[in-house]
Amino acid sequence: MLHGRTEAPEVFHYWSAIATIGAALTRRIYIDEVIYKLYPNWMIVLAAIPGRAKKSTTTDICLDLLRKKHPYLFGSDETNCPDMCRSFAERTRYMSDSKQQKESDLDEEIETQCAITYVLREFGTFLNPDDTHAIDGVTQLW
């Protein structure tokens, strides 16, 4: 779709599109393993020399389409690990398996979700590689 229209590498467009589709789907897609459901959990990092690979341009093109229609799917553009955890706690939503919940469905499975997409311009300001607690926290969230 965008091949040749921007200076960004094609792989950046590919993963930006994957991130956009994943953000739109939230937890509506899963693999049913009978005793549990396996949901996709994405951490997509576009890494390149600052100002050369057009990372922001690539993500903006894709995610702006979604942000206009569903702004509630996005977290702050600048955050840190503790703030991110607070956002997850504040945005927890409860979902049921059926399209229309009825009073008689007392045994229906209710699940929680807190799907948030973060578009962090500088990964280094979000996660300090020397902060082992933050790295452990992000790993646990994933």
Side-chain angles (χ1 to χ4, degrees):
M1 178 172 106
L2 296 171
H3 181 66
R5 295 183 184 184
T6 71
E7 297 174 30
E10 188 172 345
V11 70
F12 282 10
H13 292 295
Y14 175 83
W15 283 106
S16 295
I18 294 289
T20 304
I21 292 166
L25 292 174
T26 63
R27 289 176 59 101
R28 291 184 291 244
I29 299 294
Y30 57 87
I31 298 171
D32 192 347
E33 293 290 337
V34 182
I35 59 173
Y36 64 91
K37 293 178 182 169
L38 181 61
Y39 294 93
N41 197 3
W42 303 90
M43 282 194 187
I44 299 171
V45 178
L46 302 180
I49 297 170
R52 292 228 179 125
K54 305 299 182 196
K55 300 178 296 290
S56 296
T57 303
T58 307
T59 56
D60 288 348
I61 289 169
C62 290
L63 293 172
D64 280 352
L65 296 170
L66 187 62
R67 194 182 305 259
K68 288 176 187 172
K69 189 115 174 131
H70 303 287
Y72 59 88
L73 293 174
F74 292 86
S76 172
D77 287 342
E78 291 185 23
T79 192
N80 55 40
C81 288
D83 287 346
M84 186 173 77
C85 291
R86 266 190 293 285
S87 293
F88 282 131
E90 291 167 358
R91 292 199 188 184
T92 299
R93 296 184 320 181
Y94 299 93
M95 302 170 27
S96 86
D97 272 347
S98 69
K99 300 276 185 216
Q100 296 178 342
Q101 190 172 3
K102 302 172 194 150
E103 251 182 72
S104 62
D105 293 337
L106 297 177
D107 293 331
E108 183 176 354
E109 187 175 333
I110 303 292
E111 299 175 351
T112 60
Q113 87 159 349
C114 48
I116 302 174
T117 297
Y118 287 95
V119 183
L120 306 172
R121 301 293 179 204
E122 294 299 327
F123 192 69
T125 59
F126 166 70
L127 190 64
N128 179 349
D130 297 327
D131 186 351
T132 58
H133 294 294
I135 292 171
D136 290 345
V138 170
T139 303
Q140 287 295 322
L141 285 171
W142 183 76

